[in-house]
Amino acid sequence: MRTYLVTGGAGFIGSNYIHYMFEKYGDDIRIINVDALTYAGNLENLKAVENRPNYTFVKADITDKDAIGKIFAENDIDRVVHFAAESHVDRSIRNPEVFVKTNVIGTAVMLNCAKAAWELPDGGFKEDKKFLHVSTDEVYGSLPDDENAFFYETSPYDPHSPYSASKAGSDMLVKSYMDTYKFPANITNCSNNYGPFQFPEKLIPLIINNALQGKKLPVYGDGKNVRDWLYVRDHAKAIDMVQEKGKLFETYNVGGHNEKQNIEIIEIILETLQEMLPDNDPRKAHVSKELITYVEDRKGHDRRYAIAPDKIRADLGWEPETMFKDGIKLTIQWYFENEDWMKRVTSGDYQKYYEEMYQ
Ligand code: NAD
Ligand code: DAU
């Protein structure tokens, strides 16, 4: 049975990936989830799998080489899927250091521990061991407002925020391990994800939550910055396909050709909420464009991101399956059905879950 070590599995994409993997492979795989449970890690996201015999949670920091080394020493890890990171651009502008620590040092620790566990005396590596580094399109910088300009795997790195600079640093470390040691790895650079379990500091869950509560909807700058949105399950599928079929040492860009201005996203959310809320729901009265409030722009705000997913499509046959109009409905429906999750996340109560669950 193959054993996966997933880092950051209690976060947004990591938890969606773990659900996807158990739905796809059931009892044929084992997953060890290592997560430090920062403000962004929420074990409630994994309630549905926590009692599976083939799932284990380890609370550890990826910068702690003893803790990570111990996991490798005690388990025959076949795959590492490395999500753990500080992930929010606005936080990186306020407090860059923790981004360098987790994203750069943490990735170095993960690489070193995997290399030590997998390396053979002749300098080669044990068979069928793979490390997948989950990264972002933000490492490529910003595109002009030109619908024919895209990020490709060959685009030069040009990060602007402390977050994207730290992710670029982590990508470079992975590349250096591949180049120097022929360390068996891949990198994926994905566009903006949305879907269930996303922390409401990010645009889409923040807008859904504020609109339902009749709070202002903050739009940075002129609202015309463009992001390329992908339903999180499609990202989980891409990661699995890269691990299954990807060529070692390659980078794959993942994106859905779904570019939208932020203001368009907000308008679509408001219209969809109006459509989906029942007529007798009192929230229907305050879900309106009047909540839109233009605020000071994000410092160094990248104008436009757009991925050309040509390589992953041609080489691995990956296609995004969820159209934005469907994905946004699924997402809003999930937030309707999980109001308590949102309340616990916004009040901070979710952080008590670990103590209660794992005391
Ligand atoms: P997230 O912030 O929701 O989750 C991050 C997880 O990592 C949390 O569970 C947190 O507790 C954990 N973590 C943070 N620091 C840690 C540490 N030092 N040790 C162990 N665990 C730690 O992030 P996300 O949005 O799910 O993103 C996951 C990965 O995907 C990141 O590497 C991010 O750069 C990348 N990515 C995200 C997006 C997106 O749109 N969200 C798009 C492309 C790539
Ligand atoms: O492109 C991939 C990246 O997407 C990931 O690497 C990051 O981890 C992820 O957080 C995301 O980064 P963004 O900065 O693009 O996402 P965010 O949701 O923070 O913002 C999306 C856009 O919306 C961006 O142009 C800023 C704008 N925005 C955001 C917030 C939170 C607003 O206008 N108002 C807001 O309140």
Side-chain angles (χ1 to χ4, degrees):
M1 185 192 285
R2 199 185 266 173
T3 299
Y4 287 75
L5 177 58
V6 175
T7 72
F12 162 50
I13 306 177
S15 56
N16 277 284
Y17 170 78
I18 290 175
H19 288 297
Y20 175 83
M21 292 297 280
F22 280 135
E23 279 163 37
K24 180 163 180 200
Y25 297 102
D27 295 335
D28 295 340
I29 58 166
R30 189 174 154 234
I31 295 182
I32 301 169
N33 170 21
V34 54
D35 198 300
L37 299 184
T38 68
Y39 80 93
N42 184 355
L43 283 182
E44 280 192 64
N45 300 359
L46 295 159
K47 237 177 154 75
V49 304
E50 69 193 8
N51 294 322
R52 292 187 76 105
N54 54 343
Y55 169 77
T56 310
F57 173 68
V58 181
K59 185 173 187 297
D61 194 308
I62 55 163
T63 63
D64 178 348
K65 56 184 174 198
D66 294 336
I68 301 300
K70 189 164 177 272
I71 299 172
F72 277 96
E74 291 175 355
N75 300 278
D76 182 15
I77 305 293
D78 300 298
R79 299 278 189 272
V80 173
V81 185
H82 177 37
F83 293 99
E86 287 291 334
S87 69
H88 191 40
V89 174
D90 293 327
R91 285 180 191 256
S92 81
I93 294 166
R94 284 170 173 265
N95 181 17
E97 287 90 344
V98 67
F99 284 73
V100 178
K101 185 171 182 234
T102 291
N103 299 0
V104 182
I105 312 275
T107 300
V109 168
M110 290 307 302
L111 289 165
N112 262 337
C113 290
K115 177 175 171 285
W118 294 346
E119 203 166 26
L120 295 166
D122 67 0
F125 287 92
K126 291 180 186 164
E127 251 182 54
D128 203 29
K129 304 290 186 191
K130 286 185 194 174
F131 188 108
L132 192 140
H133 177 60
V134 180
S135 193
T136 169
D137 59 356
E138 297 198 12
V139 297
Y140 299 120
S142 183
L143 291 165
D145 280 328
D146 165 1
E147 59 183 32
N148 294 314
F150 294 104
F151 294 137
Y152 293 91
E153 287 79 359
T154 48
S155 300
Y157 273 37
D158 184 22
H160 298 128
S161 72
Y163 162 69
S164 52
S166 67
K167 290 297 290 188
S170 66
D171 291 13
M172 291 299 162
L173 276 172
V174 179
K175 280 177 199 286
S176 77
Y177 271 60
M178 297 193 288
D179 293 347
T180 308
Y181 310 110
K182 295 280 169 282
F183 178 75
N186 288 103
I187 300 173
T188 53
N189 294 91
C190 187
S191 63
N192 286 61
N193 284 215
Y194 70 101
F197 302 119
Q198 190 166 28
F199 196 82
E201 64 186 355
K202 307 280 166 63
L203 182 71
I204 287 185
L206 185 145
I207 296 299
I208 295 172
N209 189 39
N210 281 17
L212 287 172
Q213 291 188 50
K215 289 189 185 162
K216 288 181 176 168
L217 311 177
V219 182
Y220 299 166
D222 65 2
K224 293 188 177 157
N225 298 67
V226 170
R227 296 293 182 266
D228 182 359
W229 294 95
L230 181 70
Y231 193 60
V232 62
R233 201 179 164 81
D234 286 332
H235 186 189
K237 184 179 162 201
I239 288 171
D240 182 43
M241 285 179 89
V242 170
Q243 286 240 311
E244 288 302 306
K245 304 205 274 178
K247 225 170 118 191
L248 274 185
F249 315 125
E250 293 285 322
T251 286
Y252 294 91
N253 281 354
V254 187
H257 270 314
N258 181 50
E259 296 157 42
K260 295 210 184 315
Q261 292 182 344
N262 295 334
I263 192 68
E264 283 179 76
I265 291 286
I266 294 171
E267 284 168 1
I268 293 172
I269 292 174
L270 291 172
E271 280 158 24
T272 316
L273 282 170
Q274 273 297 344
E275 232 177 85
M276 290 176 72
L277 281 167
D279 284 341
N280 59 359
D281 192 310
R283 294 173 296 183
K284 207 161 175 147
H286 57 236
V287 170
S288 101
K289 282 189 188 175
E290 277 165 35
L291 297 174
I292 293 175
T293 311
Y294 286 87
V295 298
E296 193 187 328
D297 206 355
R298 175 184 276 174
K299 288 189 173 64
H301 198 175
D302 285 337
R303 188 64 177 173
R304 175 170 170 265
Y305 302 147
I307 285 270
D310 303 6
K311 177 172 168 182
I312 191 167
R313 179 180 286 151
D315 293 2
L316 309 186
W318 176 85
E319 290 279 358
E321 285 170 15
T322 316
M323 303 280 288
F324 189 75
K325 66 174 179 40
D326 302 323
I328 197 68
K329 280 191 188 142
L330 291 171
T331 305
I332 289 175
Q333 188 61 37
W334 188 87
Y335 283 101
F336 279 166
E337 286 165 10
N338 290 277
E339 269 181 60
D340 288 348
W341 180 94
M342 184 59 98
K343 275 189 199 136
R344 283 194 290 276
V345 166
T346 43
S347 70
D349 276 354
Y350 71 101
Q351 285 172 325
K352 293 183 193 142
Y353 183 81
Y354 175 74
E355 275 80 45
E356 285 165 16
M357 181 67 205
Y358 289 85
Q359 56 187 337

